[in-house]
Amino acid sequence: WTPEEMRDELATVAAYYAEQAGRRWRPLADTTQDEVMNGRRPESWPSWQRFEEYYSEGQLIWLDADTLIREASGGRRSLDDFARAFFGVENGRVAPLTYTFDDVVRALNDVWPHDWATFLNTRVSAVAPKAPLEGLARGGYRLAYDDKDNAYLHASDKQRHRLTLSSSVGIVVDTEDGSISDVSWEGPAFAAGVSEGMQLLACDGIAFEEERFLEAIRNSVSSSRPMEWIVRQGDRYRVVSIDYHGGLRYPHLLREEGVPARLDEILRARR
């Protein structure tokens, strides 16, 4: 990946958690139980229920730790030092080597002294309504939105034949048949009664088609009237009113001047 592609991927992850309503009630650690409770069966309303968040949100948490260490040490230490110390042990061992929370905290403190127990507990074990975006800020970037395609999200959507519009009208829709695979909790589509499993047939009286649908959302900025969608759910058809006027919104990372570009250093290829 190029650094630009990686920043777009990080922006996509950051936006997902910044907009996630389920953060208000469910801590990250609880999602480690999802394999037991759900077994990867289909799940509705993931933006409210949350599902196996530890990988992608963990990415933001470790970025937070990395930039904190780099900032505090003046760039002399980093998460690379933690990785070498924590994982680079007993070379050649094939038997499992277990560890505890205290082992992680101790290894982090050996790299740079900090209240790592509180750092991890507040981000992992406690309910955390705000997404962990401090690592982006310390890394010299901030999350922002505009109507320009996010290259990573665009490529991912093209591969999966879908449109991810979670940051605007609040749906993910299949570009081939208009089936809606996800609705953002408390988003514009949610407020209109749209739910996963419905099929989007038309927008403002015109049959659903990817480019025409995007143009309708783009034009919402200059229109005072809500969009009208015709949706199908089983044998029932409905007209729903989408009161949204924000246009297309895609997440990006913007450079913050005055803050060292630590994220660029992190993304630089290792030798």
Side-chain angles (χ1 to χ4, degrees):
W1 287 15
T2 66
E4 292 77 16
E5 289 168 337
M6 187 63 207
R7 286 196 295 268
D8 272 353
E9 190 272 347
L10 271 174
T12 302
V13 172
Y16 178 79
Y17 291 111
E19 300 162 7
Q20 188 184 59
R23 306 185 62 82
R24 300 201 301 264
W25 73 274
R26 193 177 189 198
L28 175 62
D30 194 49
T31 72
T32 64
Q33 308 299 324
D34 287 337
E35 276 299 300
V36 177
M37 296 188 295
N38 195 54
R40 292 198 173 177
R41 292 187 298 273
E43 181 184 63
S44 297
W45 307 111
S47 60
W48 178 250
Q49 295 198 69
R50 312 193 74 189
F51 182 67
E52 293 186 3
E53 308 287 338
Y54 37 89
Y55 287 118
S56 48
E57 187 167 345
Q59 181 182 18
L60 297 176
I61 293 171
W62 286 114
L63 176 63
D64 192 358
D66 196 355
T67 55
L68 190 156
I69 293 169
R70 288 170 186 264
E71 179 183 59
S73 68
R76 297 187 303 276
R77 310 303 299 274
S78 74
L79 200 65
D80 291 354
D81 297 298
F82 167 79
R84 279 190 290 268
F86 191 76
F87 298 111
V89 294
E90 298 191 29
N91 188 33
R93 177 184 175 127
V94 294
L97 182 59
T98 59
Y99 62 90
T100 66
F101 178 82
D102 289 341
D103 292 328
V104 178
V105 170
R106 188 178 306 109
L108 282 166
N109 270 311
D110 287 344
V111 173
W112 193 261
H114 185 71
D115 187 0
W116 291 110
T118 299
F119 176 95
L120 292 171
N121 276 319
T122 56
R123 290 161 176 77
V124 176
S125 301
V127 173
K130 294 182 67 175
L133 305 185
E134 294 90 343
L136 294 176
R138 269 194 235 98
Y141 287 86
R142 66 180 174 87
L143 177 64
Y145 299 85
D146 59 32
D147 60 357
K148 297 178 179 61
D149 255 338
N150 172 308
Y152 166 82
L153 187 58
H154 179 82
S156 178
D157 278 354
K158 285 296 182 185
Q159 185 180 23
R160 292 169 172 78
H161 306 288
R162 70 185 185 190
L163 285 175
T164 299
L165 301 165
S166 305
S167 299
S168 54
V169 292
I171 63 170
V172 178
V173 59
D174 189 289
T175 55
E176 296 184 333
D177 66 2
S179 59
I180 297 172
S181 58
D182 186 36
V183 177
S184 300
W185 193 266
E186 297 176 347
F190 175 96
V194 177
S195 64
E196 175 188 323
M198 288 183 175
Q199 183 182 15
L200 178 57
L201 301 177
C203 175
D204 292 337
I206 301 174
F208 171 78
E209 184 274 331
E210 179 178 351
E211 292 305 322
R212 289 195 298 241
F213 186 53
L214 290 175
E215 187 64 20
I217 299 173
R218 194 176 290 115
N219 292 338
S220 69
V221 174
S222 57
S223 175
S224 60
R225 65 177 184 82
M227 285 179 282
E228 285 193 346
W229 295 358
I230 299 176
V231 296
R232 175 183 178 182
Q233 188 172 30
D235 293 332
R236 296 181 178 274
Y237 294 79
R238 293 173 51 203
V239 177
V240 295
S241 179
I242 310 295
D243 193 11
Y244 173 77
H245 306 280
L248 292 172
R249 295 179 78 243
Y250 298 111
H252 299 279
L253 295 185
L254 296 186
R255 182 76 177 91
E256 283 280 54
E257 298 303 326
V259 181
R262 297 184 181 95
L263 180 59
D264 293 352
E265 180 65 28
I266 291 168
L267 298 182
R268 189 167 293 130
R270 306 299 195 269
R271 298 188 178 193

